[in-house]
Amino acid sequence: MTIAQIVSIAVFLGMLALVVSEKVNRALAALTGAVLLLALHVVPFDAAMGHVDLNTLGVLLGMMLFVAVVKRSGVFEYLAIRCARLAQGHPWRIMALFMILTACLSAFLDNVTTVLLVGPVTLTLCRLLNLHPVPFFLAEILSSNIGGTATLIGDPPNIMIGSASKLTFADFLGMNGPAVALALAAVMIVFYLMYGRAMEKCPRNPNVVMELNPADYIKDRRLLRLSVGLTMLVVLGFVFHGALGLESCVVALGAAAAILLLSRTSIEEALGQVEWVTLAFFTGLFVVVGALTETGVIAMVAQGIMGATGGNVFATMLVLLVGSALVSAFLDNIPFVATMIPILLSLQASGMDVTPLWWAVSLGACLGGNGSIIGASANVVLADISKQNGHPITFAQFFRVGFPCMLLTVGIAAVYLMAHFPM
């Protein structure tokens, strides 16, 4: 190995260690690694910037701005109260409907945004019905990560994979959608067996929920109508962006510009709600992983994978699915996917059909986030909300529920992929 390869590996592992330890902000860790590689001339500046995926950054920025405006209408609180009324105050039905709502919202919004919107409403309903909120929070965390797997924009790893592989929104929905539906149904059955049957025996007062008026939660009716109309256009834009010859970031940024202009929302206010730390983390990460590509480390790893699986696509698919899930259960799936993308591109350049491998990494990395409380950002955020309100969720408590559910959903994904891509 060359000095440049050793340094690039050392910086990558150091950055990963800092991210996992959570003692240093992950954006700071990634940017420090990027600057270090540039300062040591491991990778030229122009080459490093060439590895920064502007399409991924654009999608994230556009959707953050869009959601920052849409949520001011109160539409998400309205939907949550609607679900509670539809369940007629029945605890298990509320849990089931909130799982479906969370999964559907996560398919089109950032997972963290989804749990930030659904969590407080869940807490309010649990207080009204005198229910313990932790089972509801656990259900919503798992549903968020499962639902985010379904679409191109549902989870950052999918945005990255779509940008690198040129797979469209329709491709993701068509391929991952059925697997996600099966996985969500399986987890709902598990939660019914664990919590639902006991909830059915709980005394309840449905009038408490039925007296809530969803219309009271609408803060701006004009913005609500505008949000619904533009959301429909955004979905259509993502579905047909491939046919239109547009990158997905053009759709996301266009939607953000349109809703800001039409709603007359202050751009300063919207920009203030953008998760700049996340965007900074992605930028630094792209440079650090790009250095591994430039120095030839990624090519070496790709050759190692081909050697281990004998170049067999079926075997490689299953190895990547399970490996992605297990790694993503304990490490942030974004650095992992950022590392895997150039490996798959290298395998593709060697003549291997990597289409099944893209789906294996997507399903494994996204579903794997349910393996532990640190497996995905949404897990940590909703656990913090629960703790702040007097209901801490420990690592062991989450692990006992999340890890078996993760194994179950990954098993479903494995059978699904084997049916689609047989030996």
Side-chain angles (χ1 to χ4, degrees), residues 122-123 126 131-138 140 386 389 391 393:
T122 302
L123 192 64
C126 287
L131 297 170
H132 199 283
V134 169
F136 288 84
F137 285 153
L138 292 175
E140 288 162 7
S386 186
N389 287 276
H391 303 283
I393 301 174

Side-chain angles (χ1 to χ4, degrees), residues 309-318 352-357 421:
T309 61
N312 183 281
V313 176
F314 185 84
T316 306
M317 176 183 73
L318 294 180
M352 179 182 284
D353 176 16
V354 297
T355 301
L357 308 188
F421 305 104

Side-chain angles (χ1 to χ4, degrees), residues 318-399:
L318 294 180
V319 167
L320 288 180
L321 174 67
V322 176
S324 298
L326 292 176
V327 170
S328 297
F330 302 101
L331 299 178
D332 195 315
N333 57 14
I334 295 171
F336 174 78
V337 172
T339 308
M340 289 305 305
I341 285 172
I343 292 175
L344 296 187
L345 292 175
S346 181
L347 291 173
Q348 185 178 43
S350 69
M352 179 182 284
D353 176 16
V354 297
T355 301
L357 308 188
W358 289 121
W359 300 122
V361 172
S362 170
L363 288 166
C366 295
L367 295 175
N370 281 331
S372 77
I373 202 167
I374 60 172
S377 300
N379 308 15
V380 178
V381 169
L382 198 48
D384 284 344
I385 292 175
S386 186
K387 182 179 180 180
Q388 290 166 11
N389 287 276
H391 303 283
I393 301 174
T394 66
F395 184 96
Q397 185 180 11
F398 185 93
F399 188 81

Side-chain angles (χ1 to χ4, degrees), residues 45-353:
F45 180 81
D46 290 342
M49 293 303 102
H51 287 282
V52 175
D53 191 337
L54 296 178
N55 185 55
T56 294
L57 295 178
V59 171
L60 289 171
L61 175 60
M63 293 310 296
M64 286 176 185
L65 287 169
F66 186 79
V67 171
V69 179
V70 170
K71 70 180 182 181
R72 293 174 61 243
S73 69
V75 63
F76 301 112
E77 292 87 346
Y78 173 86
L79 289 173
I81 298 302
R82 274 289 184 192
C83 285
R85 284 173 58 87
L86 185 62
Q88 297 182 328
H90 192 291
W92 162 244
R93 292 177 192 167
I94 291 176
M95 176 181 280
L97 287 173
F98 267 58
M99 290 177 75
I100 295 171
L101 175 64
T102 303
C104 291
L105 289 176
S106 293
F108 299 98
L109 304 178
D110 176 84
N111 288 5
V112 172
T113 300
T114 298
V115 297
L116 282 173
L117 294 168
V118 175
V121 181
T122 302
L123 192 64
T124 299
L125 288 173
C126 287
R127 285 172 176 167
L128 287 172
L129 296 172
N130 196 28
L131 297 170
H132 199 283
V134 169
F136 288 84
F137 285 153
L138 292 175
E140 288 162 7
I141 288 173
L142 299 190
S143 300
S144 175
N145 291 321
I146 292 171
T149 311
T151 67
L152 171 69
I153 59 172
D155 216 1
N158 283 358
I159 299 174
M160 298 162 68
I161 290 170
S163 181
S165 64
K166 305 304 178 186
L167 293 168
T168 66
F169 186 96
D171 293 330
F172 273 90
L173 189 60
M175 184 65 192
N176 283 4
V180 164
L182 292 171
L184 182 63
V187 170
M188 289 178 72
I189 292 172
V190 170
F191 269 77
Y192 176 75
L193 295 175
M194 292 179 64
Y195 303 109
R197 289 183 296 182
M199 287 179 179
E200 289 182 345
K201 300 175 184 177
C202 294
R204 59 190 180 91
N205 181 10
N207 293 331
V208 174
V209 171
M210 299 307 290
E211 288 172 0
L212 296 174
N213 184 7
D216 293 341
Y217 292 83
I218 299 298
K219 302 167 188 173
D220 188 329
R221 293 188 178 277
R222 177 182 176 275
L223 181 57
L224 173 64
R225 291 191 293 270
L226 180 62
S227 299
V228 171
L230 284 176
T231 299
M232 293 173 65
L233 291 176
V234 169
V235 172
L236 289 174
F238 279 123
V239 170
F240 296 107
H241 77 91
L244 296 172
L246 298 174
E247 294 291 345
S248 51
C249 69
V250 176
V251 176
L253 292 170
I259 200 165
L260 283 166
L261 285 170
L262 295 174
S263 68
R264 302 185 187 90
T265 300
S266 166
I267 182 67
E268 290 84 1
E269 180 183 343
L271 288 172
Q273 297 185 53
V274 170
E275 297 173 36
W276 294 108
V277 171
T278 299
L279 298 179
F281 170 63
F282 269 102
T283 303
L285 177 65
F286 286 138
V287 174
V288 173
V289 175
L292 295 175
T293 301
E294 291 291 323
T295 57
V297 172
I298 293 297
M300 293 169 56
V301 174
Q303 291 172 3
I305 292 175
M306 287 192 69
T309 61
N312 183 281
V313 176
F314 185 84
T316 306
M317 176 183 73
L318 294 180
V319 167
L320 288 180
L321 174 67
V322 176
S324 298
L326 292 176
V327 170
S328 297
F330 302 101
L331 299 178
D332 195 315
N333 57 14
I334 295 171
F336 174 78
V337 172
T339 308
M340 289 305 305
I341 285 172
I343 292 175
L344 296 187
L345 292 175
S346 181
L347 291 173
Q348 185 178 43
S350 69
M352 179 182 284
D353 176 16

